Amino acid sequence: MATPPTGTPISTGLIGSAETGTDAGNDRPIVTFDGLMVRRRVVIAIHSTPDADVTALRTVLDKAANQSQTNLIDISPDVLDPASLEHFVPELIVALPAGSTVAEAGELVDRAYFQDPAVSEVDHYHVAEVLVHDLRFAVRATSPAALEESIAKEGILSDALGNYSTTLRAGELDVTYTGPLLSDELINSVQNGMARAAHTKPEAVIVSSRSTAGVGVDMANEPAPSPAGTEAPSDHSHDAADDAAHDPAHDVSDAPDASDAPDDSDGGR
């Protein structure tokens, strides 16, 4: 489960943080690593009741997702815009596969939590289309396995990226990441950290898109997110205090469908 953000600092193994280099006016990091490296993904954010078993709620959601052969991944609440986080920090947030739509996500939540009998531990939820970085860091190495172990031991990437996967290739270590947008400074810090562990130069760590299929995002043309303190309209939400009879049609928004092609992730740890 993703942990609500508490301003966790980046370790001393890396210079910079996700907050450094942000645009003060929109709380979004400065991102020039865009195009196919930035994607639109649909997320489900659950706000549970105080006594809820969040692990059990995730199990219920996964069971409903498996029925439609949908794989949910953990993702940080930081993918939500400041206005949404001002409203609530979800106890549970997951991302659907690339190409999933807001309507599909809403149907999944309805099937998981609001069939008879309804799951009372869900206070309310939101479904939203968000921007994520979908990156691959690749570096040549004499022993990719030893490099992977060194990086894991130092926490070079876990502190900076959170969730990531590694793939060992012949003479190369690949690190793949899907999560909140990273500032240019933080991406450069990841390059520096990997290069230091590999005993090479930072420019030898190649940053590219995780997938070459689908549609990316030009950040220069992307509207600023709603700032904190502004109640942004949710793409899809439900309040437990609403009508006793839940009508899924009331929750479906007119938000555009995500258009990414499926991930080509190589998997990993």
Side-chain angles (χ1 to χ4, degrees):
M1 256 54 68
T3 303
T6 56
T8 303
I10 302 303
S11 78
T12 54
L14 289 172
I15 300 173
S17 73
E19 297 302 320
T20 304
T22 58
D23 293 320
N26 61 15
D27 293 316
R28 175 181 286 162
I30 296 173
V31 178
T32 60
F33 291 86
D34 58 357
L36 292 178
M37 290 182 278
V38 176
R39 304 295 184 126
R40 301 188 193 278
R41 293 287 284 267
V42 173
V43 298
I44 297 171
I46 304 294
H47 184 35
S48 60
T49 58
D51 58 344
D53 183 339
V54 178
T55 301
L57 291 181
R58 174 63 188 269
T59 299
V60 171
L61 191 60
D62 280 331
K63 182 178 179 180
N66 290 338
Q67 293 173 354
S68 56
Q69 298 183 326
T70 299
N71 181 43
L72 305 176
I73 64 169
D74 294 333
I75 200 161
S76 168
D78 289 335
V79 296
L80 299 174
D81 62 47
S84 295
L85 290 175
E86 180 83 2
H87 168 58
F88 87 124
V89 176
E91 286 76 25
L92 169 62
I93 181 168
V94 295
L96 278 72
S100 299
T101 67
V102 167
E104 289 170 342
E107 190 277 333
L108 172 60
V109 181
D110 289 331
R111 190 152 36 86
Y113 297 132
F114 298 105
Q115 299 298 315
D116 190 19
V119 178
S120 60
E121 289 83 3
V122 175
D123 181 86
H124 68 277
Y125 71 94
H126 295 262
V127 170
E129 188 180 72
V130 300
L131 296 179
V132 302
H133 251 136
D134 209 24
L135 302 174
R136 184 189 307 277
F137 298 88
V139 63
R140 302 292 298 174
T142 304
S143 175
L147 175 58
E148 177 192 39
E149 183 179 356
S150 174
I151 289 175
K153 184 177 181 180
E154 288 189 37
I156 293 172
L157 299 184
S158 59
D159 289 338
L161 303 178
N163 292 328
Y164 68 93
S165 299
T166 56
T167 301
L168 305 180
R169 303 185 186 275
E172 180 180 289
L173 173 66
D174 282 6
V175 172
T176 50
Y177 163 83
T178 298
L181 295 177
L182 306 177
S183 68
D184 288 0
E185 184 176 354
L186 186 53
I187 289 177
N188 291 334
S189 295
V190 171
Q191 289 178 288
N192 288 335
M194 291 181 63
R196 183 175 65 252
H199 306 290
T200 188
K201 297 179 179 179
E203 53 266 28
V205 180
I206 306 302
V207 184
S208 62
S209 60
R210 191 170 180 175
S211 171
T212 57
V215 179
V217 176
D218 182 352
M219 293 300 295
N221 298 326
E222 194 64 23
S226 300
T230 301
E231 184 64 30
S234 171
D235 286 335
H236 182 132
S237 64
H238 173 271
D239 254 312
D242 287 345
D243 297 339
H246 176 71
D247 182 358
H250 291 168
D251 291 333
V252 178
S253 77
D254 296 324
D257 294 343
S259 57
D260 291 350
D263 231 309
D264 72 341
S265 171
D266 300 302
R269 299 194 324 179

